[in-house]
Each structure stands twice: as C-alpha cells, then as structure tokens.
Amino acid sequence: MRQLLLASIGLALFMTACSGGSTKSSSETSQKKENMFTGAKGEVKIMSLDPGHFHAALVLKTMYDQVNPVVHVYAPDGPDVEDQLARIESYNTRAEDPTSWDLKVYKGADYLEKMLSEKPGNVMNTAGNNAKKTEYILKTIEAGINVLADKPMVIKPEDFPKLEKAFQVADEKELLLYDIMTERHEITTMLQRELSQLPEVFGKLQTGTEEEPAITKESVHHFFKYVSGKPLTRPAWFFDTEQQGEGIVDVNTHLVDLIQWEAFPEVILSKDDVEIMSAKRWTTDLTPEMFTKVTHLENYPDFLQKDIENNVLKVYSNGEINYTLKGIHAKASVIWNFEAPEGAGDTHYSIMRGTLCNLIIQQGEAEGYKPRLYIEFTGDDLKAFAGNLNNGVQGLSEKYPGIELEKLSDTKWALNIPDKYKVGHEAHFGQVTEKYLQYLVDGKLPEWEVPNMIVKYYTTTEGLKKALEE
C-alpha cells in the first residue's frame, strides 16, 4: 500500500514537472479552452453592445465563414439601436450579395448586465457612446469575453488607467482586445508606408521640428454625410464631447496610430517614447438648422445647453497634437466641417519627410477628392534617385500588380493605383474584422500591437490634457 501511495505521488510530481510546474485551476483551464479558435465555420459568436454608431453595422456589412450568423444585440431601447437594426436589415435585403444575419435583440436598461450574465457569444463588438466604452471594455474582458472595439477606446485622461487595466486582464485571461484601425487598409497609406521602407528611395525619416514635423497627418470630416448610400442621422449625443469625445481624442486615434505604424513599423513602443510639445482645440459651430438637418431633432436637448452660445451649438470637435515619438517630430490634427463640398467626402492629408524625398498624400479638389500619393525628390543625386524609384516601384508591383509611376515634373512623380485597390472606407471594416478573426485562430496579436495601442491612447489623452492647459 505504501509503495502504491509513493508511486501515485511520484506520478503526480512527474506530471507537474512535465507541465512546467503549472498549477492552473480547472476554471482557468476551462477559460483557456473557451478562448481557443480553430477557424471552424460559425465558431465566432458576436455580441453587439449598445450599437449607437454606424461603424457597428459596417462590421456586419459582409458575412464571414468563421462568424455565426446569429448575432446577439444588447442595447437600451431608443433610436440608436433601431437605426442599427434598420441598417443591418438593409444589408440582409439588398439585391446584390445580401447578408443573412439573424439578430437576437435585447432592449432594456440592464443591457450590459444582461449580456454579461447570459454570455451567448465569445466576441463583443461595440461602437457608440464613447463615455461608457472604456467601462464596457473592462467589464467584458473581466467576464472572459474577447473584444473588437471601434475607436476610441478611451476619451478621458482619467479613464486611461482603466484601459490599461483592461489590457492587463486580457493578457492574464488570454483574450484578444483590439481596436478597429480601418485606415491601415487605405491603399495610398499602405504604399506610403511601403515606399518609406525603401532606403534607396526614401533615405531615412527626418527628425523634423515642431514647425515642420517629420510626419504629419491631417483628417477633415463632416457631420452631414452619406453612409451606404443614405443620409446619415447622427444621434444628439454625438455632438456632446462628454459622450462622443473631443476630436483630439476621437478621430485623432487613427492619425496617431498611422504615425506609429508608418514611422516605426512593428517596433514595440512605450509611453516614455512620447513627449507632447503642444496641443490645441477649437469648435465647429452648428446653427439650429444644421443641427436639425443631421439629427432630425427640432430642439437642442438639455445636455447640450452647456455648449450653446446665442443659439449656436459649439462643438470641440477639432484638435491638434504636436509631439515627438522616439525623438521624431509628428503632428496629428483633425477638423470637422458640417458638410463637404459637392463631390467630396472626408479627406486625408499626410506627409512623410525623408532624407531623399517626401511622400505626400493629398485628397483635394485637384485630385477629385480622391487620395493620391506623390513622391517629391529632395536629395542631391536626381539621376540615381529616379532610377532607384523606378526599381522600387517595379519591386512593389509584384505585391501590388498594376501600380505605375507617372512623372509630373523633373522632381515630382505620382503613383497611379488601379481601382481594384480602392475599395472604400466602408469595406475596410470587413478587412479589419477578417484580420481579427485570424488573430483569434493564432491565439494572439502581433507582439507590438498591445503596447502600441496603449501608447496611442496615452498620446491622445495626454494631448487633450495639454490642449486644456493651453
């Protein structure tokens, strides 16, 4: 009997040693199994939480084999969720390539608690009121559910530690917390990044100055616009920066992300790499007529009264951050106008200043409001540069067939890009979702993604703090 007991103890010790000394509880092991994905059809079950922004619907504009067609929606009752349901129904009933989402909808004041207690899915998607989003993310992660969140994940500096905690808990529970960075899939930005990685073409990124940054990103957006071919109705809370967030922490999320992604591709960054030099914020003014046109409401709600002067709504939707990242000067700025000129939409401007050339994206009237990538020589040996540029683009054409150089002057070229790559902003949501689904199968994000998301939101929230001080 004693020999049998000793043998049992020995076997237990051997099994513990083989497992690296692991003493994980059965619940932790079960949690890990629940989070494992294989790419099987329908294994990803989406829960849509408080979908108050049209981006929530754009994630579902296309079907994915890996995603179960049954989507559970949890939201407070009201026009926000009704707009989302109507938009998804339009995708289900469109003539060309209709979707087949089966929505199971819960509407009630306890929508968050209901989702966390029922947990019918393994991935939560949220796009809506940003004042609540950081709390949504943290509580969902603590409940053992993966999160694919629309930007921004945080809008207030005082909530930034809560987001850091969410990433820490996600790591402990082996969950994937990821934000939807659509602009990485815009073709001119992708090719700007590719060209900047060719030292014989770009040289290296300059250090720049606060007056002339090495990399600049500027985005112009519009309150009144069309989505999926229909005029967009904005909820009134969208114009309350306490709920939507100021522009400096909202759209600027994309711009700061692109600066990191292009200037330091796949480099793990830290908060210590960031120094905010200056920042500013200013308002876009909406008349009552403008407000009614975009919200379909006749009067300003009470929560907006704090922002009204002489019957004009003043929204701090514009902002600019000048900062250094690993010593490189950068600028990210966002501007909101009410409505775009005829034939235009949201626009993007970007410049990366290299020691041999500048890589410039412009999207103005001259470009027909379509983004175009220019290469502007700034070095000393033009002949050598022209040859290297031709060779570089030929090399890239193996990855992006059909791209061609167009010479505009002795020192300036444009990169002509086939229409097949210009899929549009709405399609980028599907591209990001596909990438996230693959990360679920991999069981991890690229090692630089989480630290760089933290740095990104540190930059935007610290930028807001600086703008408020100034």
Side-chain angles (χ1 to χ4, degrees):
M1 189 70 176
R2 183 171 178 272
Q3 288 179 326
L4 181 61
L5 178 61
L6 290 172
S8 298
I9 294 171
L11 178 61
L13 290 171
F14 174 75
M15 293 297 290
T16 300
C18 288
S19 62
S22 174
T23 57
K24 287 190 175 182
S25 67
S26 59
S27 63
E28 287 177 306
T29 304
S30 175
Q31 174 74 63
K32 183 174 180 180
K33 287 180 180 178
E34 287 178 7
N35 296 332
M36 290 179 66
F37 294 88
T38 64
K41 186 173 182 177
E43 69 178 353
V44 174
K45 300 172 184 177
I46 291 178
M47 298 177 296
S48 183
L49 179 64
D50 193 10
H53 194 287
F54 67 91
H55 287 175
L58 291 179
V59 169
L60 302 176
K61 194 177 179 181
T62 186
M63 302 293 292
Y64 317 87
D65 287 343
Q66 199 178 339
V67 177
N68 195 296
V70 176
V71 173
H72 290 262
V73 180
Y74 292 87
D77 199 3
D80 286 3
V81 67
E82 296 303 329
D83 285 348
Q84 295 301 310
L85 298 178
R87 191 167 283 115
I88 294 169
E89 178 61 19
S90 74
Y91 301 155
N92 278 348
T93 57
R94 66 193 176 203
E96 186 176 344
D97 193 24
T99 54
S100 55
W101 299 111
D102 181 9
L103 303 182
K104 306 297 182 185
V105 184
Y106 176 83
K107 290 182 281 190
D110 61 342
Y111 59 95
L112 175 60
E113 293 76 14
K114 193 76 170 176
M115 183 196 77
L116 296 178
S117 63
E118 294 184 345
K119 290 207 305 189
N122 45 30
V123 171
M124 185 273 273
N125 172 242
T126 185
N129 192 313
N130 294 321
K132 305 172 184 177
K133 193 182 289 179
T134 313
E135 179 188 2
Y136 289 166
I137 290 169
L138 178 56
K139 287 189 174 180
T140 303
I141 290 292
E142 287 176 334
I145 303 164
N146 299 281
V147 175
L148 176 63
D150 189 36
K151 62 82 198 158
M153 287 205 229
V154 62
I155 61 172
K156 296 179 180 179
E158 58 267 30
D159 284 342
F160 176 73
K162 190 182 295 185
L163 180 62
E164 285 191 297
K165 181 180 178 182
F167 278 113
Q168 178 187 340
V169 176
D171 180 58
E172 292 168 358
K173 291 181 174 286
E174 300 184 8
L175 298 166
L176 299 195
L177 169 56
Y178 195 56
D179 61 356
I180 301 174
M181 292 290 99
T182 52
E183 299 309 304
R184 295 186 193 174
H185 296 267
E186 203 287 313
I187 188 61
T188 54
T189 299
M190 293 166 68
L191 288 169
Q192 184 184 46
R193 183 181 191 246
E194 294 271 15
L195 287 171
S196 73
Q197 297 305 299
L198 302 178
E200 67 276 14
V201 172
F202 187 64
K204 65 178 182 178
L205 188 64
Q206 296 184 23
T207 301
T209 64
E210 189 171 349
E211 295 72 29
E212 191 174 81
I215 181 167
T216 295
K217 300 281 181 183
E218 179 183 286
S219 183
V220 179
H221 283 247
H222 302 89
F223 286 129
F224 182 80
K225 63 197 290 186
Y226 289 82
V227 174
S228 300
K230 297 179 180 179
L232 177 64
T233 300
R234 301 271 190 189
W237 59 257
F238 186 84
F239 301 94
D240 180 10
T241 55
E242 289 294 313
Q243 299 183 68
Q244 174 62 24
E246 296 199 14
I248 203 168
V249 291
D250 181 16
V251 174
N252 251 8
T253 305
H254 281 303
L255 308 183
V256 172
D257 180 78
L258 292 179
I259 287 169
Q260 296 179 178
W261 186 70
E262 292 191 76
F264 298 98
E266 301 183 15
V267 173
I268 295 174
L269 302 171
S270 74
K271 292 183 291 186
D272 291 339
D273 293 325
V274 178
E275 182 180 358
I276 307 295
M277 310 300 292
S278 63
K280 61 181 180 179
R281 57 200 274 273
W282 64 100
T283 65
T284 298
D285 297 348
L286 272 65
T287 64
E289 293 76 19
M290 291 175 176
F291 183 77
T292 297
K293 181 176 181 178
V294 72
T295 64
H296 298 164
L297 299 176
E298 294 299 324
N299 300 298
Y300 299 124
D302 290 343
F303 61 76
L304 288 177
Q305 293 300 319
K306 67 185 188 308
D307 301 319
I308 294 170
E309 295 180 15
N310 299 320
N311 211 30
V312 172
L313 178 62
K314 305 179 85 66
V315 187
Y316 274 99
S317 52
N318 311 290
E320 176 184 296
I321 308 174
N322 292 280
Y323 66 105
T324 60
L325 182 63
K326 283 188 169 293
I328 299 294
H329 283 269
K331 182 172 78 170
S333 58
V334 58
I335 297 168
W336 278 86
N337 297 323
F338 177 70
E339 189 172 358
E342 184 70 28
D346 297 344
T347 60
H348 178 74
Y349 167 80
S350 172
I351 183 169
M352 295 184 74
R353 301 181 190 276
T355 53
L356 295 180
C357 73
N358 295 330
L359 302 173
I360 308 167
I361 297 172
Q362 289 182 306
Q363 195 177 351
E365 186 177 1
E367 291 77 30
Y369 300 107
K370 305 294 183 184
R372 198 171 194 204
L373 177 57
Y374 299 99
I375 302 98
E376 188 177 73
F377 174 68
T378 59
D380 297 321
D381 191 340
L382 178 59
K383 184 177 180 181
F385 173 81
N388 289 334
L389 177 60
N390 275 296
N391 291 337
V393 171
Q394 284 182 12
L396 287 176
S397 67
E398 296 178 9
K399 186 175 180 180
Y400 304 94
I403 61 171
E404 293 179 341
L405 270 180
E406 177 185 347
K407 189 170 185 178
L408 303 178
S409 71
D410 287 344
T411 58
K412 188 173 182 179
W413 293 258
L415 194 60
N416 293 330
I417 303 169
D419 287 342
K420 64 182 178 180
Y421 297 114
K422 303 173 185 177
V423 297
H425 177 63
E426 294 186 17
H428 296 328
F429 286 85
Q431 292 174 316
V432 174
T433 304
E434 292 278 12
K435 189 173 284 287
Y436 180 73
L437 294 174
Q438 182 57 53
Y439 291 152
L440 289 175
V441 175
D442 296 341
K444 62 181 180 179
L445 298 170
E447 63 177 353
W448 50 272
E449 279 282 21
V450 169
N452 291 11
M453 278 189 277
I454 292 170
V455 170
K456 172 173 59 186
Y457 287 109
Y458 174 77
T459 302
T460 56
T461 53
E462 287 296 305
L464 177 58
K465 281 170 64 174
K466 188 76 169 179
L468 290 169
E469 290 170 5
E470 296 185 357

